[in-house]
Structures are given as structure tokens and as C-alpha cells.
Amino acid sequence: MKKIIAIIAVMLAFTVNAQAQAKKTTSLEAAKKDIALLASRIKMDETLKADLTTLMVTKHDILSDPKISEADKETASKQYIRKLMSALNEEQKKVLHSDPELLKKLVH
């Protein structure tokens, strides 16, 4: 009986671990799509792309967390906008501000 319980516990542990890894892959894929969308409108070097990818992965992880309230998600979105804008130069900011639909897609 103890062996059966131990086997079930190990199986559950691997299942939870596999699901957590799948979630990170999804966030990374979503971040890469955001970067591709942004790069289609704004010229970026590889360093900026890498930095923004990290930022976007974090954003997707936070916004996909079911435990976070809507108010916290809105606060996180505002912080994300500030971080995104701080990483861009003035010309890139102008392009982004001139396309509010793109900005909305990147933030939400």
C-alpha cells in the first residue's frame, strides 16, 4: 500500500513539473510574438530584443497568473509600459505612441 501511494505521489510530482514547464514555454512564445510585432514597426538591436524578451516573458507570466486580481494586473500593465518606454529611445517612443493599437497589444 505504501508503494502505491509513493508511486502516485511521484507521478503527480512529475505531472505538476511538466505543466509548469509548458507554461514557461507558452510565455516565451508569446513574448517572441510580441517582439516580432514590435520589431516590425521599430528598429531594434539584438541587445534590446533580448532585454525586451525578458520583460515580456515576465509580463506574460504575471498576467496569466489566476491568483492575481484585476487591479494588480492593471498596475502590472502600467509598470510594464514604464519599463518598455524606458528601454526605448525618443524615435522609437514616437513610433509606439503613434500606434495606440500596437501599444495595447503589447501591454495586454
Side-chain angles (χ1 to χ4, degrees):
M1 185 69 176
K2 290 179 183 178
K3 289 181 181 181
I4 293 173
I5 293 173
I7 290 172
I8 291 172
V10 169
M11 287 175 49
L12 287 174
F14 283 120
T15 303
V16 170
N17 190 21
Q19 289 175 350
Q21 289 176 352
K23 181 179 177 183
K24 289 184 186 247
T25 302
T26 304
S27 294
L28 181 60
E29 290 171 358
K32 286 184 179 184
K33 287 180 184 178
D34 286 348
I35 290 292
L37 181 63
L38 186 60
S40 70
R41 307 274 170 82
I42 295 175
K43 292 182 181 180
M44 296 188 292
D45 62 2
E46 291 303 316
T47 304
L48 181 58
K49 284 182 182 180
D51 292 343
L52 292 180
T53 300
T54 303
L55 180 63
M56 290 182 186
V57 167
T58 304
K59 175 198 74 159
H60 285 290
D61 285 342
I62 290 170
L63 295 180
S64 66
D65 189 353
K67 297 176 185 176
I68 295 178
S69 68
E70 288 300 316
D72 290 340
K73 287 182 181 182
E74 190 62 33
T75 302
S77 292
K78 288 178 183 178
Q79 289 175 346
Y80 171 71
I81 290 173
R82 284 194 296 268
K83 288 180 181 181
L84 176 64
M85 292 302 175
S86 70
L88 302 176
N89 63 31
E90 290 303 317
E91 182 181 317
Q92 293 167 329
K93 288 178 189 179
K94 286 179 186 177
V95 171
L96 198 56
H97 281 300
S98 69
D99 192 354
E101 194 172 307
L102 172 64
L103 186 59
K104 185 177 179 180
K105 286 179 184 178
L106 292 174
V107 174
H108 291 89

